[in-house]
Amino acid sequence: MNTMPQIPNLRILFSNHPNPSFFLSSLKPNPILKFNNKIPIKRTKSPSSSYPFFTCLSSNKPQRYNSKSFINPNRRISSSKKMVDEAEESKKLGMVSGFNKKRAEGRDKSGPKDLKLKVRKLNPVNTISYVQILGTGMDTQDTSPSVLLFFDKQRFIFNAGEGLQRFCTEHKIKLSKIDHIFLSRVCSETAGGLPGLLLTLAGTGEEGISVNVWGPSDFKYLVDAMKSFIPNAAMVHTRCFGPSPKTDMVLLDNPEKVNDQIKLINDEVVKISAILLRPETRGLKDEFAMKSSDISVVYICELPEIRGKFDPEKAQELGLRPGPKYRELQEGRSVKSDLQDIMVHPDDVLGPSVPGPIVLLVDCPTHSHFQELLSAQSLVNYYAYVSEEKRKIVNCVIHLSPSLVVNSSDYQKWMSRFGEAEHIIAGHEMKNIEIPILQSSARIAARLNYLCPQFFPAPGFWSLQQTNCSNEGTDLKLCKTISAENLLKFHLRPYAQLGLDRSGIPAKAGPIEIINDLVSEIPEISDAAKQVSQLWDGEDENAGEGITLTESDKNITEEPWLNQNALPRCLESITRENVEIVLLGTGSSQPSKYRNVSSIFINLFSKGSLLLDCGEGTLGQLKRRFGIQGADNAVKNLKCIWISHIHADHHTGLARILALRRDLLKGLPHEPLVVIGPRQLKRFLDAYERLEDLDMQFLDCRHTTEASLASFESNYNNKLNSYEHPDENKVENSLFSKGSQMQSLWKKGVSTLDSNISYPVIKNLKNVIGEAGLENVISFPVVHCPQAFGVVLKGMDRVDSDGGIVPGWKIVYSGDTRPCPELVEASQGATVLIHEATFEDALVEEAIARNHSTTEEAIEVGNSAGAYRIILTHFSQRYPKIPVFDQSYMHKTCIAFDMMSVNFADLHVLPRVLPYLKLLFKNEMIVDESDDVEDAVTLAA
């Protein structure tokens, strides 16, 4: 019996097959995916050696996968008999497979669930209740903070800006009991985290959780647009209570409305109502001139009154025996006396009642909104100056309004109307930028910066030494306020605890304390940091061997074809002001404590920048990396945003970036930003633009493939010729003339209308990337889900000091994918290949089932294509801090971390830093971060 070669972590070997294309002939996981059977294979001097050969195979039964896409006969032989047995069994069953065809074609989704809202048994008597500040955006100033209204059986969230679910993971706030989400405005600032939050709720438990989302304008179409990337969008019940654009009619079915106060929830635990604020233009409310996002809300939360103490002696005097009737009276119901022919009412046996606590949440975004706030008749009974019999005592007012409004004298006078109420200022305050809200990731960033500041620069802000702010708030002219802090509470029940509670506010640890802890934990890290700096000084070619490494770390031997010291021509004499890759998010599926979701910032310095993918929280990550002002400049100078596919972890931060750019460039001459993405994304962006203008032009990825761009050039030149010779070739020069390249592309799903619309956008794209020093931005199809793409960025050639031509650099980003021929072909000669590596090598079957790649597969793609450097990213959140990898084949590779900044002038050093990173995390365990994560990760992957 012939013995099959055994290779670590590989399941099936395909080598020397006489006809590899046989396996590929019938597969079409993507409408425009072209399988290239002529895969370049590197040859060595030895005729007995061969290099990775790739086969892309499919099956409709992903649970039985036992294959590996790449093989390398030069790998060390493993003694694992189990792998051989699995391979032989798969051969017999004819189940040789390399990707999940159903998933690639979008046929793996279950039908939509029609989830009912859960009916919870409430406890109005002995309940715990408080409001709590969830400090999302307090440090980055990029999104509205959220507020949690907590009851022991229910949760209410006010505003769901970007980073909310990551914040809740960090601070162990359970989302499973959230029944209602209220938006104070419907815009990216307050709703940017909604898609990610809904994905998490949809994946909680076996059936998912249904939730009501309330807002002052009709955003049902936005939620409907989310169905392309939220499988169970039916679990979202939109409750819109604002006016329609053309009338003053309230959209909510049969609302109870008193004056301008709209009753939303009224149960035995809480009553929540809303007052709409609309900006006034020239003294008139113009519904036609307003966008949906212009309407804001004051939410009023009223708890029921606390009944007086029950007096059993009075009950007995009225002829009641001890028993269930005592309880009914305490719950406010009248009962018949046992011994007398009378009805006994609660007031007969209860002491004086205490009014229930009242909390107001005020979002007054502009001075024009304030005029309507000032005149709101429904608020009159909540002011301190009204008569006692009408007055409702407000205990706490949480102001979400910006400081420009809150600090105005008119607003302060209005605040003073509430008497002794506590005023918590939760709008953006500059002092908060000094205190990181996501402390776990800030701690990792500080440790990485200590070890290797070249690849992990200090955050754009974080200098607690300069923070000199009182936690007691600021005494304004007319009333005292409290500055909001992260996790600050105001207790509502039990009544004895009514008031502020700072006990849950996280302790603040600065960089000095973090580094002291690090040196205490890993004493050898100090020497390691010195050795890392020597990598740039060139003082120690063997730096890394002196630190305490494992045997596998030390035994790094180069493959025959690899010479990592051979600098590519494109990097010769390159400056630090040429190009830098900033990994803003390196996790998959959903944000975690240590890794945000996918986003890569390509910094071209004075020539502008690009974003490759834009997961939720991308703007916050930019601000953590570059600071508030630096991030604003980066957003203003964006030339293009490219999105790989429709999954939520790759694009839900897009609207926030676009909205900020719109605001920053308002009044300045500029072009709309080109967004390149899969066609499903356009529907979502169109829905968002009904809420607020995003100032963008959309371009389908299919129009930026190499064939499409070549056809554009050809047809554009023909069009110019037709202007010079208008009577010639009127039909033949048509975009879809018979036999043209675009005719072939059209047959694969690109319509004539789409292509004609795309012409001016492609022309604009050509101009802006040319200004950025790029020769082209080319998309190519990959194997993950329908309309999934990777991208190639090609820098322009330059002239060296001697007048010679230096070829331009090349960046390739895989997006999410299985290893595939199109990716290998696109990556040929790449300066940097940024490749997803969601799973460790041992989980190849799971990688196949979900159409992702393992670490070794990603490296094999880079080796096969001859990439100079490989950066691995998009790690499963099962690896909280550092993924599992075999360092023995990482010669040209490095692991990405959030905020990692790789300047092309430093690429020669990149792989040599890896052993030190492994040292930094040597004590870390691989653990799941929360009970809520696993199912949601599976749903969103």
Side-chain angles (χ1 to χ4, degrees):
M1 176 179 172
N2 294 331
T3 303
M4 177 180 286
Q6 301 173 26
I7 296 168
N9 296 324
L10 301 187
R11 299 295 189 268
I12 298 293
L13 300 175
F14 286 103
S15 60
N16 302 320
H17 193 283
N19 183 17
S21 63
F22 167 78
F23 296 107
L24 305 173
S25 59
S26 64
L27 305 181
K28 296 178 181 178
N30 187 303
I32 68 170
L33 183 62
K34 299 178 297 179
F35 290 98
N36 180 5
N37 298 328
K38 297 180 180 179
I39 300 162
I41 302 176
K42 293 196 171 189
R43 302 296 182 188
T44 64
K45 295 180 181 179
S46 169
S48 61
S49 302
S50 62
Y51 290 105
F53 169 74
F54 171 75
T55 57
C56 186
L57 311 166
S58 76
S59 168
N60 290 337
K61 301 179 180 179
Q63 70 273 15
R64 298 293 301 275
Y65 288 122
N66 288 292
S67 66
K68 180 81 183 268
S69 298
F70 276 90
I71 68 164
N72 185 350
N74 287 336
R75 283 265 175 253
R76 292 190 303 271
I77 301 300
S78 166
S79 60
S80 174
K81 184 175 183 300
K82 181 179 179 182
M83 294 180 186
V84 178
D85 294 339
E86 288 179 351
E88 294 293 342
E89 181 183 357
S90 293
K91 276 188 171 184
K92 293 176 183 177
L93 293 173
M95 307 247 337
V96 180
S97 309
F99 71 93
N100 184 341
K101 185 179 180 183
K102 277 190 175 181
R103 186 173 180 84
E105 294 175 344
R107 297 186 293 111
D108 64 331
K109 298 174 183 176
S110 59
K113 299 177 182 178
D114 184 15
L115 301 178
K116 307 293 184 185
L117 286 170
K118 290 189 175 180
V119 179
R120 302 187 188 277
K121 186 177 180 180
L122 305 179
N123 182 9
V125 178
N126 300 310
T127 190
I128 298 172
S129 179
Y130 55 79
V131 286
Q132 185 172 32
I133 304 296
L134 308 184
T136 53
M138 287 178 65
D139 55 346
T140 52
Q141 314 280 288
D142 65 308
T143 191
S144 173
S146 297
V147 177
L148 171 68
L149 175 58
F150 177 96
F151 294 93
D152 47 4
K153 300 289 186 180
Q154 272 185 307
R155 311 284 190 274
F156 302 85
I157 290 277
F158 294 85
N159 287 343
E162 286 190 15
L164 177 59
Q165 65 168 328
R166 189 180 189 194
F167 176 92
C168 292
T169 299
E170 166 97 6
H171 297 288
K172 295 182 171 58
I173 295 174
K174 296 289 185 181
L175 300 174
S176 56
K177 290 187 179 179
I178 293 177
D179 289 331
H180 300 273
I181 299 171
F182 296 88
L183 303 178
S184 63
R185 281 174 288 134
V186 183
C187 60
S188 60
E189 185 181 357
T190 59
L194 195 57
L197 185 64
L198 295 178
L199 267 172
T200 299
L201 294 177
T204 301
E206 293 182 3
E207 292 296 327
I209 293 176
S210 189
V211 64
N212 279 308
V213 182
W214 303 77
S217 54
D218 185 8
F219 57 98
K220 183 179 186 300
Y221 51 84
L222 178 63
V223 173
D224 288 342
M226 293 179 189
K227 291 180 181 178
S228 59
F229 55 89
I230 300 180
N232 296 326
M235 48 82 73
V236 184
H237 301 267
T238 55
R239 301 286 186 262
C240 308
F241 53 85
S244 67
K246 298 182 180 180
T247 71
D248 281 329
M249 293 179 62
V250 174
L251 299 172
L252 189 66
D253 293 334
N254 301 319
E256 181 185 349
K257 188 174 181 182
V258 180
N259 294 327
D260 51 1
Q261 188 172 357
I262 306 168
K263 307 294 183 183
L264 305 178
I265 291 178
N266 188 4
D267 59 31
E268 61 266 43
V269 169
V270 67
K271 179 172 70 175
I272 298 178
S273 56
I275 298 173
L276 299 179
L277 303 180
R278 285 164 286 190
E280 294 196 356
T281 306
R282 298 178 183 176
L284 297 174
K285 300 170 191 173
D286 187 352
E287 298 289 350
F288 294 96
M290 281 193 300
K291 277 280 202 178
S292 298
S293 56
D294 291 333
I295 304 173
S296 66
V297 184
V298 176
Y299 285 110
I300 303 171
C301 307
E302 303 177 68
L303 274 66
E305 67 177 10
I306 303 171
R307 297 185 181 89
K309 187 177 180 180
F310 180 77
D311 189 337
E313 292 183 0
K314 286 186 177 180
Q316 291 177 10
E317 290 174 2
L318 294 172
L320 286 173
R321 299 189 183 95
K325 291 183 179 181
Y326 280 19
R327 175 74 176 183
E328 292 183 49
L329 287 166
Q330 292 179 63
E331 291 177 352
R333 295 191 293 272
S334 299
V335 298
K336 182 173 178 58
S337 172
D338 295 318
L339 302 178
Q340 303 178 27
D341 189 19
I342 59 173
M343 292 294 295
V344 180
H345 304 288
D347 290 343
D348 298 332
V349 294
L350 298 178
S353 298
V354 177
I358 299 176
V359 176
L360 269 61
L361 290 93
V362 182
D363 187 354
C364 181
T366 68
H367 291 293
S368 60
H369 288 81
F370 176 68
Q371 297 305 314
E372 185 151 334
L373 177 64
L374 203 59
S375 60
Q377 291 301 308
S378 294
L379 287 174
V380 171
N381 288 341
Y382 298 93
Y383 295 148
Y385 57 72
V386 299
S387 60
E388 187 171 344
E389 58 272 14
K390 291 184 178 180
R391 182 186 176 193
K392 297 182 177 181
I393 299 174
V394 176
N395 303 92
C396 179
V397 183
I398 299 175
H399 300 269
L400 302 174
S401 312
S403 57
L404 184 66
V405 174
V406 172
N407 291 333
S408 67
S409 58
D410 287 341
Y411 195 92
Q412 293 173 28
K413 289 177 183 176
W414 176 78
M415 290 166 61
S416 67
R417 296 182 180 183
F418 293 98
E420 298 300 316
E422 294 278 11
H423 291 273
I424 300 177
I425 308 302
H428 294 157
E429 294 185 89
M430 290 307 294
K431 70 163 195 163
N432 289 329
I433 69 174
E434 306 286 346
I435 306 167
I437 297 301
L438 301 176
Q439 292 193 359
S440 296
S441 62
R443 178 175 173 269
I444 293 294
R447 291 161 69 106
L448 287 166
N449 172 252
Y450 173 79
L451 177 65
C452 183
Q454 294 85 352
F455 287 135
F456 302 97
F461 56 86
W462 190 12
S463 177
L464 287 174
Q465 295 90 335
Q466 299 177 10
T467 303
N468 185 21
C469 302
S470 169
N471 290 333
E472 296 301 321
T474 305
D475 287 323
L476 299 176
K477 295 178 181 178
L478 298 174
C479 64
K480 186 176 181 179
T481 65
I482 303 296
S483 292
E485 294 181 79
N486 185 29
L487 300 184
L488 175 69
K489 287 181 182 179
F490 188 94
H491 282 285
L492 305 174
R493 295 276 169 85
Y495 185 75
Q497 298 179 11
L498 185 70
L500 289 168
D501 178 4
R502 290 195 173 90
S503 63
I505 296 174
K508 301 174 181 64
I512 295 176
E513 293 88 343
I514 291 173
I515 300 310
N516 288 340
D517 291 343
L518 172 62
V519 173
S520 175
E521 177 188 338
I522 309 174
E524 61 268 36
I525 203 69
S526 298
D527 290 337
K530 294 175 183 177
Q531 292 180 27
V532 168
S533 67
Q534 291 172 1
L535 296 176
W536 274 263
D537 299 335
E539 297 176 6
D540 187 358
E541 291 297 326
N542 297 315
E545 294 181 3
I547 62 176
T548 304
L549 301 175
T550 65
E551 287 303 315
S552 61
D553 295 333
K554 293 179 181 178
N555 297 331
I556 302 178
T557 58
E558 295 186 355
E559 299 285 1
W561 68 88
L562 177 62
N563 183 356
Q564 64 185 24
N565 295 317
L567 196 70
R569 174 80 170 124
C570 65
L571 295 180
E572 291 180 7
S573 304
I574 199 165
T575 70
R576 302 196 69 81
E577 299 300 314
N578 192 290
V579 60
E580 178 183 55
I581 299 172
V582 182
L583 287 303
L584 297 174
T586 58
S588 69
S589 297
Q590 69 176 46
S592 72
K593 286 168 63 174
Y594 305 105
R595 293 183 184 272
N596 202 47
V597 286
S598 296
S599 183
I600 302 168
F601 181 73
I602 306 297
N603 188 3
L604 302 172
F605 298 94
S606 62
K607 295 182 179 180
S609 57
L610 292 86
L611 271 174
L612 307 181
D613 279 338
C614 190
E616 178 186 339
T618 292
L619 178 57
Q621 294 291 86
L622 275 173
K623 296 200 173 191
R624 292 182 182 98
R625 170 62 182 85
F626 295 108
I628 302 297
Q629 188 61 48
D632 286 351
N633 291 334
V635 171
K636 281 194 295 186
N637 293 324
L638 278 171
K639 300 297 184 183
C640 169
I641 300 178
W642 182 91
I643 304 298
S644 62
H645 63 289
I646 194 60
H647 288 166
D649 57 322
H650 291 260
H651 71 81
T652 50
L654 187 55
R656 192 73 198 99
I657 292 281
L658 294 172
L660 175 63
R661 180 181 180 273
R662 173 205 64 207
D663 294 341
L664 293 172
L665 295 177
K666 189 174 183 179
L668 300 175
H670 68 281
E671 291 289 331
L673 187 65
V674 176
V675 175
I676 305 172
R679 65 178 182 268
Q680 309 103 310
L681 179 61
K682 188 176 188 301
R683 182 190 174 202
F684 180 63
L685 293 176
D686 287 345
Y688 234 121
E689 287 211 291
R690 291 177 63 180
L691 299 175
E692 55 180 337
D693 178 28
L694 297 180
D695 192 20
M696 54 149 284
Q697 294 177 315
F698 184 81
L699 189 59
D700 193 324
C701 281
R702 296 174 299 166
H703 292 129
T704 60
T705 62
E706 192 168 16
S708 296
L709 293 174
S711 180
F712 165 78
E713 292 285 354
S714 173
N715 285 280
Y716 181 70
N717 292 333
N718 289 339
K719 187 174 288 188
L720 291 179
N721 292 334
S722 68
Y723 291 144
E724 297 175 5
H725 308 284
D727 296 329
E728 298 178 12
N729 303 322
K730 287 184 178 179
V731 177
E732 287 76 4
N733 288 336
S734 167
L735 176 64
F736 292 97
S737 59
K738 186 175 180 180
S740 70
Q741 289 177 306
M742 285 300 286
Q743 185 195 40
S744 174
L745 188 61
W746 170 78
K747 288 179 179 178
K748 296 179 179 180
V750 181
S751 70
T752 307
L753 179 61
D754 286 346
S755 298
N756 285 329
I757 291 173
S758 298
Y759 255 52
V761 185
I762 294 175
K763 186 178 178 182
N764 183 28
L765 175 65
K766 286 279 188 182
N767 292 336
V768 295
I769 65 173
E771 293 170 0
L774 294 178
E775 185 179 299
N776 233 327
V777 175
I778 300 175
S779 304
F780 58 90
V782 295
V783 180
H784 180 59
C785 66
Q787 297 297 313
F789 292 86
V791 68
V792 177
L793 305 181
K794 182 69 169 64
M796 288 182 177
D797 295 347
R798 55 190 171 90
V799 180
D800 63 16
S801 57
D802 298 327
I805 301 297
V806 179
W809 45 262
K810 180 179 179 180
I811 297 174
V812 179
Y813 171 47
S814 70
D816 285 8
T817 184
R818 288 292 297 150
C820 63
E822 291 281 346
L823 176 55
V824 175
E825 182 178 353
S827 303
Q828 291 296 313
T831 314
V832 176
L833 169 62
I834 306 170
H835 200 301
E836 72 118 295
T838 309
F839 296 104
E840 62 182 284
D841 298 339
L843 298 179
V844 63
E845 293 181 7
E846 190 167 355
I848 291 170
R850 300 189 187 180
N851 282 343
H852 284 295
S853 299
T854 66
T855 301
E856 188 174 1
E857 287 175 328
I859 294 169
E860 294 284 15
V861 170
N863 288 342
S864 177
Y868 174 62
R869 290 291 180 257
I870 305 166
I871 299 176
L872 302 182
T873 186
H874 196 265
F875 303 111
S876 169
Q877 301 295 13
R878 73 183 70 207
Y879 315 115
K881 297 179 182 177
I882 190 167
V884 175
F885 61 91
D886 182 353
Q887 192 173 308
S888 62
Y889 53 86
M890 303 284 282
H891 313 287
K892 57 168 72 174
T893 306
C894 195
I895 300 294
F897 293 86
D898 282 16
M899 307 300 168
M900 185 177 185
S901 302
V902 181
N903 194 291
F904 269 30
D906 299 327
L907 279 177
H908 63 289
V909 180
L910 184 62
R912 301 176 67 186
V913 175
L914 189 59
Y916 301 94
L917 297 176
K918 195 171 182 181
L919 171 69
L920 184 65
F921 296 99
K922 72 173 188 176
N923 297 328
E924 304 297 343
M925 299 293 291
I926 301 170
V927 294
D928 287 332
E929 294 196 354
S930 76
D931 297 335
D932 293 336
V933 167
E934 186 173 352
D935 289 336
V937 167
T938 300
L939 179 70

